[in-house]
Amino acid sequence: MHLCRRRFLHLAAGAAVLPASVSAQAYPSRPVKIIVGQAAGSASDIVARLIAQFLSEKLGQQFLVEVRPGAAGNIATEAVTHMPPTATRCCW
């Protein structure tokens, strides 16, 4: 069987990645906080809560929705930027 260089490199890369993918932990490992920069009860808030519920059911991990309205979304953005770097976060 003739094995061209490109095919060999693809197989070698796949073999190198396989052990890393087997030992990977499930993501996310901590609760995820979704920060909404609109008022409570707004369309953004409702959609964020529906997505959080869907993801919680599918991934088996807790998703929290926090509403931070005001200043055209700057308050929510500031809350996200001042979170600890290890926190799993999402800004809507």
Side-chain angles (χ1 to χ4, degrees):
M1 176 174 143
H2 178 68
L3 197 62
C4 68
R5 189 176 103 201
R6 180 172 288 183
R7 178 81 172 148
F8 173 75
L9 291 175
H10 283 247
L11 291 172
V17 171
L18 184 62
S21 65
V22 171
S23 65
Q25 294 180 355
Y27 177 82
S29 59
R30 291 182 297 264
V32 178
K33 185 182 287 187
I34 301 172
I35 297 181
V36 179
Q38 303 294 322
S42 67
S44 299
D45 180 37
I46 293 169
V47 170
R49 291 180 191 279
L50 290 172
I51 290 173
Q53 181 182 3
F54 173 78
L55 290 173
S56 292
E57 292 170 358
K58 293 295 180 186
L59 298 177
Q61 186 58 257
Q62 187 177 15
F63 283 75
L64 307 171
V65 177
E66 184 177 330
V67 179
R68 295 274 184 112
N74 288 336
I75 295 174
T77 304
E78 184 180 359
V80 171
T81 58
H82 287 104
M83 283 185 169
T86 58
T88 305
R89 58 189 178 246
C90 176
C91 185
W92 188 289

Coordinates of all heavy atoms in Angstrom, one line a residue:
M1 N 0.8 -1.2 0.0 CA 0.0 0.0 0.0 C 0.9 1.2 0.0 O 1.8 1.4 0.8 CB -0.9 0.0 1.2 CG -1.7 1.2 1.4 SD -2.9 0.9 2.8 CE -2.9 2.6 3.4
H2 N 0.6 2.1 -0.9 CA 1.4 3.4 -1.0 C 0.7 4.4 -0.2 O -0.4 4.7 -0.3 CB 1.4 3.8 -2.5 CG 2.2 5.1 -2.7 ND1 3.5 5.2 -2.4 CD2 1.8 6.3 -3.0 CE1 3.9 6.5 -2.6 NE2 2.8 7.2 -3.0
L3 N 1.5 5.0 0.7 CA 1.0 6.0 1.7 C 1.7 7.4 1.4 O 2.9 7.5 1.6 CB 1.3 5.6 3.1 CG 0.5 6.3 4.2 CD1 -1.0 6.0 4.1 CD2 1.0 5.8 5.6
C4 N 0.9 8.3 0.8 CA 1.6 9.6 0.5 C 1.8 10.4 1.8 O 1.3 10.1 2.8 CB 0.7 10.4 -0.5 SG -0.9 10.9 0.2
R5 N 2.7 11.3 1.6 CA 3.1 12.1 2.8 C 2.0 12.8 3.5 O 1.9 12.8 4.7 CB 4.2 13.1 2.3 CG 4.8 13.8 3.5 CD 5.9 14.8 3.0 NE 5.4 16.1 3.1 CZ 5.8 17.1 2.5 NH1 6.8 17.0 1.6 NH2 5.3 18.3 2.6
R6 N 1.1 13.4 2.7 CA -0.1 14.2 3.3 C -1.0 13.2 4.1 O -1.4 13.5 5.2 CB -0.9 14.8 2.2 CG -2.1 15.6 2.7 CD -2.7 16.4 1.7 NE -1.8 17.5 1.4 CZ -2.1 18.5 0.5 NH1 -3.2 18.5 -0.1 NH2 -1.3 19.5 0.3
R7 N -1.3 12.0 3.5 CA -2.1 11.1 4.2 C -1.4 10.6 5.5 O -2.1 10.5 6.6 CB -2.4 9.9 3.3 CG -3.2 8.8 3.9 CD -4.6 9.1 3.9 NE -5.4 8.0 4.4 CZ -6.5 8.1 5.0 NH1 -7.1 9.2 5.2 NH2 -7.1 7.0 5.4
F8 N -0.1 10.4 5.5 CA 0.6 10.0 6.7 C 0.6 11.1 7.7 O 0.4 10.8 8.9 CB 2.1 9.7 6.3 CG 2.9 9.4 7.5 CD1 2.9 8.2 8.2 CD2 3.8 10.4 8.0 CE1 3.6 8.0 9.3 CE2 4.6 10.2 9.1 CZ 4.5 8.9 9.7
L9 N 0.7 12.3 7.3 CA 0.7 13.4 8.3 C -0.7 13.6 8.9 O -0.8 13.8 10.1 CB 1.1 14.7 7.7 CG 2.6 14.8 7.3 CD1 2.8 16.1 6.5 CD2 3.5 14.7 8.5
H10 N -1.8 13.3 8.2 CA -3.1 13.4 8.7 C -3.3 12.3 9.7 O -3.9 12.5 10.8 CB -4.2 13.2 7.6 CG -4.4 14.5 6.8 ND1 -5.6 15.2 6.8 CD2 -3.6 15.2 6.0 CE1 -5.5 16.2 6.0 NE2 -4.2 16.2 5.5
L11 N -2.8 11.1 9.4 CA -3.0 10.0 10.4 C -2.1 10.2 11.6 O -2.6 9.9 12.8 CB -2.5 8.7 9.7 CG -3.4 8.1 8.6 CD1 -2.8 7.0 7.9 CD2 -4.8 7.7 9.2
A12 N -0.9 10.8 11.5 CA -0.1 11.1 12.6 C -0.7 12.1 13.5 O -0.7 12.0 14.8 CB 1.3 11.5 12.2
A13 N -1.3 13.2 12.9 CA -1.9 14.2 13.7 C -3.1 13.6 14.4 O -3.4 14.0 15.6 CB -2.4 15.4 12.8
G14 N -3.9 12.8 13.8 CA -5.1 12.2 14.4 C -4.7 11.3 15.6 O -5.3 11.3 16.6
A15 N -3.6 10.6 15.4 CA -3.1 9.7 16.5 C -2.6 10.5 17.7 O -2.7 10.1 18.9 CB -2.0 8.8 16.0
A16 N -2.0 11.7 17.4 CA -1.5 12.5 18.5 C -2.6 13.2 19.3 O -2.5 13.4 20.5 CB -0.6 13.6 17.9
V17 N -3.8 13.5 18.6 CA -4.9 14.2 19.2 C -5.8 13.2 20.0 O -6.4 13.6 21.0 CB -5.7 15.0 18.2 CG1 -7.0 15.5 18.8 CG2 -4.8 16.1 17.6
L18 N -5.8 12.0 19.6 CA -6.7 11.0 20.2 C -6.6 10.9 21.7 O -7.6 11.0 22.4 CB -6.5 9.7 19.5 CG -7.5 8.6 20.0 CD1 -8.9 9.0 19.7 CD2 -7.1 7.3 19.3
P19 N -5.4 10.7 22.3 CA -5.3 10.6 23.8 C -5.8 11.9 24.5 O -6.4 11.8 25.6 CB -3.8 10.4 24.0 CG -3.2 9.9 22.8 CD -4.1 10.5 21.7
A20 N -5.6 13.1 23.9 CA -6.0 14.3 24.5 C -7.5 14.4 24.5 O -8.1 14.9 25.5 CB -5.4 15.5 23.8
S21 N -8.2 13.9 23.5 CA -9.6 14.0 23.4 C -10.3 13.0 24.4 O -11.4 13.2 24.8 CB -10.1 13.8 22.0 OG -9.8 12.5 21.5
V22 N -9.6 11.9 24.6 CA -10.2 10.9 25.5 C -10.2 11.3 26.9 O -11.1 11.1 27.7 CB -9.4 9.5 25.3 CG1 -9.9 8.5 26.4 CG2 -9.7 9.0 23.9
S23 N -9.1 12.1 27.3 CA -9.0 12.5 28.7 C -9.6 13.8 29.0 O -9.5 14.3 30.1 CB -7.5 12.5 29.1 OG -6.9 13.5 28.3
A24 N -10.2 14.5 28.0 CA -10.8 15.8 28.2 C -12.0 15.7 29.2 O -12.8 14.8 29.1 CB -11.2 16.4 26.9
Q25 N -12.2 16.7 30.0 CA -13.3 16.8 30.9 C -14.5 17.3 30.2 O -14.4 18.0 29.2 CB -12.9 17.7 32.1 CG -11.8 17.1 33.0 CD -11.6 18.1 34.1 OE1 -12.1 19.1 34.2 NE2 -10.7 17.6 35.0
A26 N -15.6 17.0 30.8 CA -16.9 17.6 30.2 C -16.9 19.1 30.4 O -16.6 19.6 31.5 CB -18.1 16.9 30.9
Y27 N -17.3 19.8 29.4 CA -17.4 21.3 29.5 C -18.9 21.6 29.6 O -19.7 21.0 28.9 CB -16.8 21.9 28.3 CG -17.0 23.4 28.3 CD1 -16.1 24.2 29.0 CD2 -18.0 24.1 27.7 CE1 -16.2 25.6 29.1 CE2 -18.2 25.4 27.7 CZ -17.3 26.2 28.4 OH -17.5 27.5 28.5
P28 N -19.3 22.5 30.4 CA -18.6 23.2 31.4 C -18.5 22.5 32.7 O -19.4 21.7 33.0 CB -19.4 24.5 31.5 CG -20.8 24.1 31.2 CD -20.7 23.0 30.2
S29 N -17.5 22.7 33.5 CA -17.4 22.0 34.8 C -18.0 22.8 35.9 O -18.2 22.2 37.0 CB -15.9 21.8 35.1 OG -15.2 23.0 35.1
R30 N -18.3 24.0 35.7 CA -19.0 24.9 36.8 C -20.2 25.5 36.2 O -20.4 25.5 35.0 CB -18.0 26.0 37.2 CG -16.8 25.5 38.0 CD -16.0 26.6 38.4 NE -15.5 27.4 37.3 CZ -14.3 27.2 36.8 NH1 -13.5 26.3 37.3 NH2 -13.9 27.9 35.7
P31 N -21.1 26.1 37.0 CA -22.3 26.8 36.5 C -21.9 27.9 35.6 O -20.9 28.6 35.8 CB -23.0 27.3 37.8 CG -22.5 26.4 38.9 CD -21.1 26.0 38.5
V32 N -22.7 28.1 34.6 CA -22.4 29.2 33.6 C -23.4 30.3 33.9 O -24.6 30.1 34.1 CB -22.6 28.7 32.2 CG1 -22.4 29.8 31.2 CG2 -21.7 27.5 31.9
K33 N -22.9 31.6 33.9 CA -23.7 32.7 34.2 C -23.9 33.5 32.9 O -23.0 33.9 32.2 CB -23.0 33.6 35.2 CG -23.9 34.8 35.6 CD -23.2 35.7 36.6 CE -23.1 35.1 38.0 NZ -22.5 36.0 39.0
I34 N -25.2 33.7 32.5 CA -25.6 34.5 31.4 C -26.0 35.8 31.9 O -27.0 35.9 32.6 CB -26.6 33.8 30.5 CG1 -26.2 32.4 30.1 CG2 -27.0 34.6 29.4 CD1 -27.2 31.6 29.4
I35 N -25.4 36.9 31.5 CA -25.8 38.2 31.9 C -26.5 38.9 30.8 O -26.0 39.0 29.6 CB -24.5 39.0 32.3 CG1 -23.9 38.3 33.5 CG2 -24.9 40.5 32.6 CD1 -22.7 39.0 34.1
V36 N -27.7 39.4 31.1 CA -28.5 40.1 30.1 C -28.5 41.6 30.4 O -28.8 42.0 31.5 CB -30.0 39.5 30.1 CG1 -30.9 40.3 29.2 CG2 -30.0 38.1 29.9
G37 N -28.2 42.4 29.4 CA -28.1 43.8 29.6 C -29.4 44.6 29.3 O -29.4 45.8 29.1
Q38 N -30.6 43.9 29.3 CA -31.9 44.5 29.1 C -32.7 44.3 30.3 O -32.4 43.6 31.2 CB -32.5 43.8 27.9 CG -31.7 43.8 26.6 CD -31.6 45.2 26.0 OE1 -32.5 46.0 26.1 NE2 -30.4 45.5 25.5
A39 N -33.9 45.0 30.3 CA -34.8 44.9 31.5 C -35.4 43.5 31.6 O -35.5 42.7 30.7 CB -35.9 45.9 31.3
A40 N -35.7 43.2 32.9 CA -36.4 41.9 33.2 C -37.7 41.8 32.4 O -38.5 42.8 32.4 CB -36.6 41.8 34.7
G41 N -37.9 40.7 31.8 CA -39.2 40.5 31.1 C -39.1 40.9 29.6 O -40.0 40.8 28.8
S42 N -37.9 41.5 29.2 CA -37.7 41.8 27.8 C -37.5 40.6 26.9 O -37.4 39.5 27.5 CB -36.5 42.8 27.7 OG -35.3 42.1 28.0
A43 N -37.5 40.8 25.6 CA -37.4 39.7 24.7 C -36.0 39.0 25.0 O -35.9 37.8 24.9 CB -37.5 40.1 23.3
S44 N -35.0 39.8 25.2 CA -33.6 39.2 25.4 C -33.6 38.4 26.7 O -33.0 37.3 26.7 CB -32.6 40.4 25.6 OG -32.5 41.1 24.4
D45 N -34.3 38.8 27.7 CA -34.3 38.1 29.0 C -35.1 36.8 28.8 O -34.6 35.7 29.2 CB -35.0 38.9 30.1 CG -35.1 38.2 31.4 OD1 -34.2 37.5 31.8 OD2 -36.2 38.4 32.1
I46 N -36.2 36.8 28.1 CA -37.0 35.6 27.9 C -36.2 34.6 27.0 O -36.1 33.4 27.4 CB -38.3 35.9 27.2 CG1 -39.2 36.7 28.2 CG2 -39.1 34.7 26.8 CD1 -40.4 37.4 27.6
V47 N -35.6 35.1 26.0 CA -34.8 34.2 25.1 C -33.6 33.6 25.9 O -33.3 32.4 25.8 CB -34.3 34.9 23.8 CG1 -33.3 34.1 23.1 CG2 -35.5 35.2 23.0
A48 N -32.9 34.4 26.7 CA -31.8 33.9 27.5 C -32.2 32.8 28.5 O -31.5 31.8 28.7 CB -31.1 35.1 28.2
R49 N -33.4 33.0 29.1 CA -33.9 32.0 30.0 C -34.3 30.7 29.3 O -34.1 29.6 29.8 CB -35.1 32.6 30.8 CG -34.6 33.7 31.8 CD -35.8 34.2 32.6 NE -35.4 35.4 33.3 CZ -34.7 35.4 34.5 NH1 -34.4 34.3 35.0 NH2 -34.4 36.6 35.1
L50 N -34.9 30.8 28.1 CA -35.2 29.6 27.4 C -34.0 28.9 26.9 O -33.9 27.7 27.0 CB -36.1 30.0 26.1 CG -37.5 30.5 26.4 CD1 -38.2 31.0 25.2 CD2 -38.3 29.4 27.0
I51 N -33.0 29.6 26.5 CA -31.7 29.0 26.1 C -31.0 28.3 27.3 O -30.5 27.2 27.2 CB -30.8 30.0 25.4 CG1 -31.4 30.4 24.0 CG2 -29.4 29.5 25.2 CD1 -30.7 31.5 23.3
A52 N -31.0 29.0 28.4 CA -30.4 28.5 29.6 C -31.1 27.2 30.1 O -30.5 26.2 30.5 CB -30.5 29.5 30.8
Q53 N -32.4 27.2 30.0 CA -33.2 26.0 30.4 C -32.9 24.8 29.4 O -32.6 23.7 29.8 CB -34.7 26.2 30.3 CG -35.5 25.0 30.7 CD -37.0 25.3 30.7 OE1 -37.4 26.4 30.3 NE2 -37.8 24.4 31.1
F54 N -32.8 25.1 28.1 CA -32.5 24.1 27.1 C -31.1 23.5 27.3 O -30.9 22.3 27.3 CB -32.6 24.7 25.7 CG -32.2 23.8 24.6 CD1 -33.0 22.8 24.2 CD2 -30.9 23.9 24.0 CE1 -32.6 21.9 23.2 CE2 -30.5 23.1 23.0 CZ -31.4 22.1 22.6
L55 N -30.1 24.4 27.5 CA -28.7 24.0 27.7 C -28.6 23.2 29.0 O -27.8 22.2 29.1 CB -27.8 25.2 27.7 CG -27.6 25.8 26.3 CD1 -26.8 27.1 26.5 CD2 -27.0 24.9 25.3
S56 N -29.3 23.6 30.1 CA -29.3 22.9 31.3 C -29.7 21.4 31.2 O -29.2 20.5 31.7 CB -30.1 23.6 32.4 OG -29.5 24.8 32.7
E57 N -30.8 21.3 30.4 CA -31.4 19.9 30.2 C -30.4 19.1 29.3 O -30.2 17.9 29.6 CB -32.7 20.0 29.5 CG -33.8 20.6 30.4 CD -35.1 20.9 29.7 OE1 -35.1 20.7 28.5 OE2 -36.0 21.4 30.3
K58 N -29.9 19.7 28.3 CA -29.0 18.9 27.4 C -27.6 18.6 27.9 O -27.1 17.5 27.7 CB -28.8 19.7 26.0 CG -30.1 19.8 25.2 CD -30.5 18.5 24.8 CE -31.8 18.6 24.0 NZ -32.4 17.3 23.6
L59 N -27.0 19.6 28.6 CA -25.7 19.4 29.1 C -25.6 18.9 30.6 O -24.5 18.5 31.1 CB -24.9 20.7 29.0 CG -24.7 21.2 27.6 CD1 -24.0 22.6 27.6 CD2 -24.0 20.2 26.7
G60 N -26.7 19.0 31.3 CA -26.7 18.5 32.7 C -25.9 19.5 33.6 O -25.4 19.0 34.6
Q61 N -25.8 20.7 33.2 CA -25.1 21.7 34.0 C -26.0 22.9 34.2 O -26.9 23.2 33.5 CB -23.8 22.2 33.2 CG -22.9 23.1 33.9 CD -22.4 22.5 35.2 OE1 -22.9 22.9 36.3 NE2 -21.5 21.6 35.2
Q62 N -25.8 23.6 35.3 CA -26.6 24.7 35.7 C -26.2 26.0 34.9 O -25.0 26.3 34.8 CB -26.5 25.0 37.2 CG -27.4 26.0 37.7 CD -27.2 26.2 39.2 OE1 -26.3 25.7 39.8 NE2 -28.2 26.8 39.8
F63 N -27.2 26.7 34.3 CA -27.0 27.9 33.7 C -27.8 29.0 34.4 O -29.0 28.8 34.5 CB -27.5 27.8 32.2 CG -26.5 27.1 31.3 CD1 -26.4 25.7 31.4 CD2 -25.7 27.8 30.4 CE1 -25.5 25.1 30.5 CE2 -24.8 27.2 29.6 CZ -24.7 25.8 29.7
L64 N -27.2 30.0 34.8 CA -27.9 31.1 35.6 C -28.0 32.3 34.7 O -27.1 32.7 34.0 CB -27.0 31.5 36.8 CG -26.6 30.3 37.7 CD1 -25.6 30.8 38.8 CD2 -27.8 29.8 38.4
V65 N -29.2 33.0 34.8 CA -29.4 34.2 34.0 C -29.5 35.3 35.0 O -30.3 35.3 36.0 CB -30.8 34.1 33.2 CG1 -31.0 35.4 32.5 CG2 -30.7 33.0 32.2
E66 N -28.6 36.3 34.8 CA -28.6 37.5 35.7 C -28.9 38.7 34.8 O -28.3 38.9 33.8 CB -27.2 37.7 36.3 CG -27.1 38.8 37.2 CD -25.7 38.8 37.9 OE1 -25.1 37.8 38.0 OE2 -25.3 40.0 38.2
V67 N -29.9 39.5 35.3 CA -30.3 40.7 34.5 C -29.6 41.9 35.1 O -29.7 42.2 36.3 CB -31.9 40.9 34.6 CG1 -32.3 42.1 33.8 CG2 -32.6 39.6 34.0
R68 N -28.9 42.7 34.2 CA -28.2 43.9 34.6 C -28.6 45.0 33.7 O -27.8 45.4 32.8 CB -26.7 43.7 34.6 CG -26.2 42.7 35.6 CD -25.9 43.4 36.9 NE -25.3 42.6 37.9 CZ -24.1 42.7 38.4 NH1 -23.3 43.6 37.9 NH2 -23.7 41.8 39.2
P69 N -29.8 45.6 33.8 CA -30.2 46.6 32.8 C -29.5 48.0 33.1 O -29.1 48.2 34.2 CB -31.7 46.7 33.0 CG -31.9 46.4 34.4 CD -30.8 45.3 34.8
G70 N -29.5 48.9 32.1 CA -29.1 50.2 32.3 C -27.9 50.6 31.6 O -27.1 49.8 31.2
A71 N -27.8 51.9 31.3 CA -26.6 52.5 30.6 C -26.3 51.9 29.3 O -25.2 51.7 28.9 CB -25.4 52.5 31.5
A72 N -27.4 51.6 28.5 CA -27.3 51.0 27.2 C -26.4 49.8 27.2 O -25.6 49.5 26.2 CB -26.7 52.1 26.2
G73 N -26.5 48.9 28.2 CA -25.7 47.7 28.3 C -24.4 47.8 28.9 O -23.7 46.8 29.1
N74 N -24.0 49.0 29.3 CA -22.6 49.2 29.8 C -22.5 48.6 31.2 O -21.4 48.1 31.6 CB -22.3 50.7 29.9 CG -22.0 51.3 28.6 OD1 -21.6 50.5 27.6 ND2 -22.1 52.6 28.4
I75 N -23.6 48.6 32.0 CA -23.5 47.9 33.3 C -23.3 46.4 33.2 O -22.5 45.9 33.9 CB -24.8 48.3 34.1 CG1 -24.9 49.8 34.4 CG2 -24.9 47.5 35.4 CD1 -26.2 50.2 35.0
A76 N -24.0 45.8 32.3 CA -23.8 44.4 32.0 C -22.4 44.1 31.5 O -21.8 43.1 32.0 CB -24.8 43.8 31.0
T77 N -21.9 44.9 30.6 CA -20.6 44.7 30.1 C -19.5 44.9 31.2 O -18.6 44.1 31.3 CB -20.3 45.7 29.0 OG1 -21.3 45.6 28.0 CG2 -18.9 45.5 28.4
E78 N -19.7 45.8 32.1 CA -18.8 46.0 33.2 C -18.8 44.8 34.1 O -17.8 44.4 34.6 CB -19.1 47.3 33.9 CG -18.2 47.6 35.1 CD -18.5 48.9 35.8 OE1 -19.5 49.6 35.4 OE2 -17.8 49.2 36.8
A79 N -20.0 44.3 34.4 CA -20.1 43.1 35.2 C -19.3 41.9 34.6 O -18.7 41.2 35.4 CB -21.6 42.7 35.4
V80 N -19.4 41.8 33.3 CA -18.7 40.7 32.7 C -17.2 40.9 32.8 O -16.4 40.0 33.0 CB -19.2 40.5 31.2 CG1 -18.3 39.5 30.5 CG2 -20.6 40.0 31.2
T81 N -16.7 42.1 32.5 CA -15.3 42.4 32.5 C -14.7 42.3 33.9 O -13.5 42.0 34.0 CB -15.0 43.8 31.9 OG1 -15.7 44.8 32.7 CG2 -15.4 43.9 30.5
H82 N -15.5 42.5 35.0 CA -14.9 42.4 36.3 C -15.1 41.0 37.0 O -14.8 40.8 38.1 CB -15.5 43.5 37.2 CG -15.0 44.8 36.9 ND1 -15.7 45.7 36.1 CD2 -13.8 45.4 37.1 CE1 -15.0 46.8 36.0 NE2 -13.8 46.7 36.5
M83 N -15.6 40.0 36.2 CA -15.7 38.7 36.8 C -14.3 38.1 36.9 O -13.4 38.4 36.1 CB -16.5 37.8 35.8 CG -18.0 38.0 36.0 SD -18.8 36.8 34.9 CE -20.5 37.1 35.5
P84 N -14.1 37.1 37.8 CA -12.8 36.4 37.8 C -12.5 35.7 36.5 O -13.4 35.2 35.9 CB -12.9 35.4 39.0 CG -14.3 35.7 39.6 CD -15.0 36.6 38.8
P85 N -11.3 35.6 36.1 CA -10.9 35.0 34.8 C -11.3 33.5 34.8 O -11.4 33.0 33.7 CB -9.4 35.2 34.7 CG -8.9 35.6 36.0 CD -10.1 36.1 36.8
T86 N -11.4 32.8 35.9 CA -11.8 31.4 35.9 C -13.3 31.2 35.8 O -13.7 30.1 35.6 CB -11.3 30.7 37.2 OG1 -11.9 31.4 38.3 CG2 -9.8 30.8 37.3
A87 N -14.1 32.2 35.9 CA -15.5 32.1 35.8 C -16.0 31.8 34.3 O -15.4 32.4 33.4 CB -16.3 33.3 36.3
T88 N -16.9 30.9 34.2 CA -17.5 30.6 32.9 C -18.6 31.6 32.7 O -19.5 31.7 33.5 CB -18.0 29.2 32.8 OG1 -17.0 28.3 33.1 CG2 -18.5 28.9 31.4
R89 N -18.5 32.5 31.6 CA -19.5 33.5 31.5 C -19.9 33.7 30.0 O -19.3 33.3 29.1 CB -18.9 34.8 32.0 CG -17.6 35.2 31.3 CD -17.0 36.4 32.0 NE -15.7 36.7 31.3 CZ -14.6 36.6 31.9 NH1 -14.5 36.1 33.1 NH2 -13.5 36.9 31.3
C90 N -21.1 34.4 29.9 CA -21.6 34.6 28.6 C -22.4 35.9 28.7 O -23.2 36.1 29.6 CB -22.5 33.5 28.1 SG -23.4 33.8 26.6
C91 N -22.2 36.9 27.8 CA -22.9 38.1 27.8 C -23.9 38.2 26.7 O -23.5 37.9 25.5 CB -22.0 39.3 27.8 SG -22.8 40.9 28.0
W92 N -25.1 38.5 26.9 CA -26.1 38.6 25.9 C -26.4 40.0 25.5 O -26.7 40.8 26.3 CB -27.4 37.9 26.4 CG -28.4 37.7 25.3 CD1 -29.1 38.6 24.8 CD2 -28.8 36.5 24.7 NE1 -30.0 38.1 23.8 CE2 -29.8 36.8 23.8 CE3 -28.4 35.2 24.8 CZ2 -30.4 35.8 23.0 CZ3 -29.0 34.2 24.1 CH2 -30.0 34.6 23.2

